[in-house]
Amino acid sequence: MRDLATLWVGPLGPIEYASIASFLRHGHSLTIYSYDQLDGVPAGVAFRDANEILPAREVARYSREGSPSLHSNFFRYALMAQTDAVWVDLDIIALRPFDFTGPHIYAHENEERVNCAVLRMPKTSPALAKLLRFQPGMRGIAPHVTGLRRLKYQIKTLGRGVPIEQWPWGSTGPRALSAYLRQYDEMKYAMPTETFYPIVPNDCERFVAPGALSDADFGPATYGVHLSASNVQKVLARSYRGKIPADSFLGQHVARARAEGVL
C-alpha cells in the first residue's frame, strides 16, 4: 500500500478530516507536514516538521490571493525528490485504495491539463527537475505562457520576468506540471480524468447539494474525487450559510469521519 503525504498550513477543518478519514479507511498511512504545531492530528496519522523536506522561514503565498498553495507546490515537488510518498491534497476523498504500482501517478483534469492533487513522479523525471527550480522570490515567466503572450511579458519586463508570487493562479501547479510533462513526453503516463477528477470545479456544488451525489455514483475507474475545496467553501458560504448539509456527499463523509473517531 502506498504511503501518502501532504503539507498543511493553518487549522484542520471538516473537509480535511473527511479526506484524512477516507485515506485511513482504505489502509493508507498518511504523514502531514507542517511548519507550525498542528492541533487535532488524528490517531494513526504521522506529523512531521515541514523543514525536513523544504526549509523555510515563511510560507510563500500568491500575492493576489494570499494563498499558500504557491508554497505547497514547492513542497510537493521537493517531496517527490526526497521521498517515495504519494502527495495528496486534503480535499481528496478516497473511494478505494490507491494501489497504483508505477512511478507515475497523476491524472488529467481535462483534455489539456493534468492536476497535481494526487501526485507521484519518479526522481529521475526531467519534468520534475524543471519543477524543482521553482523557489520563492525568483523571477521569470510561467512555463505555460507561450507565443506572442510570452514575448509581450519579456518586452514589458525587459527580459527579467515577474516575481513568481505574482504569477497567475495555478502557474506553478497544474499548468507548469502539464507544460513540462508535455515537453518531456511524460504526459503519456497520465491516467484518465475519471481517476480523480470526474467532476469539474464548476460543478463542485454537487458535492454539497443535498441528495445530489453518493459514493455509488462513481464507477470502478474512480479511485478518489477532488472536491476543489476553495470552490466548495464559496458555495457553502453563498448557498448554505457556511454549513455542510448532512445529506450531501461531503456531509456523509464528514459524518463517517466523526463516526470513525477521526473528527
Side-chain angles (χ1 to χ4, degrees):
M1 190 66 67
R2 304 299 293 259
D3 294 334
L4 309 180
T6 193
L7 171 72
W8 192 251
V9 176
L12 295 166
I15 291 176
E16 293 76 49
Y17 282 116
S19 176
I20 291 167
S22 75
F23 297 134
L24 298 180
R25 188 179 307 130
H26 292 292
H28 287 288
S29 65
L30 174 66
T31 299
I32 299 179
Y33 291 88
S34 179
Y35 288 99
D36 300 304
Q37 182 58 43
L38 189 61
D39 295 329
V41 176
V45 175
F47 173 77
R48 298 187 72 95
D49 182 357
N51 286 291
E52 296 177 12
I53 300 296
L54 185 66
R57 293 182 178 177
E58 60 182 13
V59 172
R61 298 174 183 267
Y62 281 115
S63 298
R64 174 181 287 184
E65 298 85 3
S67 170
S69 67
L70 175 63
H71 196 93
S72 73
N73 290 329
F74 300 154
F75 189 92
R76 83 185 74 204
Y77 304 140
L79 187 80
M80 299 296 99
Q82 297 178 42
T83 78
D84 293 320
V86 177
W87 167 277
V88 287
D89 282 4
L90 289 185
D91 59 353
I92 289 282
I93 299 293
L95 300 180
R96 52 182 41 84
F98 292 179
D99 54 0
F100 312 105
T101 57
H104 301 85
I105 303 175
Y106 42 81
H108 287 277
E109 65 174 359
N110 56 43
E111 291 183 359
E112 296 299 319
R113 281 200 305 274
V114 301
N115 199 306
C116 50
V118 179
L119 184 67
R120 180 66 237 167
M121 302 173 74
K123 295 179 175 64
T124 56
S125 162
L128 177 61
K130 294 296 287 284
L131 293 164
L132 286 166
R133 296 182 181 181
F134 292 154
Q135 57 183 306
M138 69 171 282
R139 298 181 68 99
I141 301 172
H144 73 278
V145 177
T146 59
L148 183 59
R149 187 177 171 211
R150 190 174 191 86
L151 179 60
K152 288 180 178 179
Y153 267 109
Q154 290 173 333
I155 294 173
K156 184 177 180 179
T157 64
L158 301 177
R160 297 179 62 213
V162 297
I164 197 168
E165 291 81 3
Q166 296 176 21
W167 288 10
W169 177 267
S171 293
T172 59
R175 293 181 183 276
L177 175 62
S178 300
Y180 290 141
L181 290 177
R182 192 170 288 110
Q183 179 178 346
Y184 293 105
D185 196 30
E186 295 179 80
M187 185 67 86
K188 63 188 177 186
Y189 301 113
M191 293 179 285
T193 304
E194 291 77 15
T195 312
F196 302 119
Y197 313 106
I199 293 181
V200 299
N202 288 342
D203 289 338
C204 71
E205 186 164 3
R206 296 172 65 190
F207 289 125
V208 294
L213 278 178
S214 71
D215 289 12
D217 291 310
F218 300 99
T222 298
Y223 285 77
V225 292
H226 184 219
L227 299 177
S228 299
S230 60
N231 291 320
V232 162
Q233 295 284 15
K234 292 175 184 176
V235 171
L236 289 173
R238 182 178 67 242
S239 302
Y240 299 98
R241 298 182 179 180
K243 304 295 185 181
I244 301 171
D247 53 348
S248 66
F249 175 86
L250 177 56
Q252 293 167 14
H253 277 276
V254 170
R256 291 180 73 177
R258 185 173 289 112
E260 292 164 355
V262 174
L263 174 55

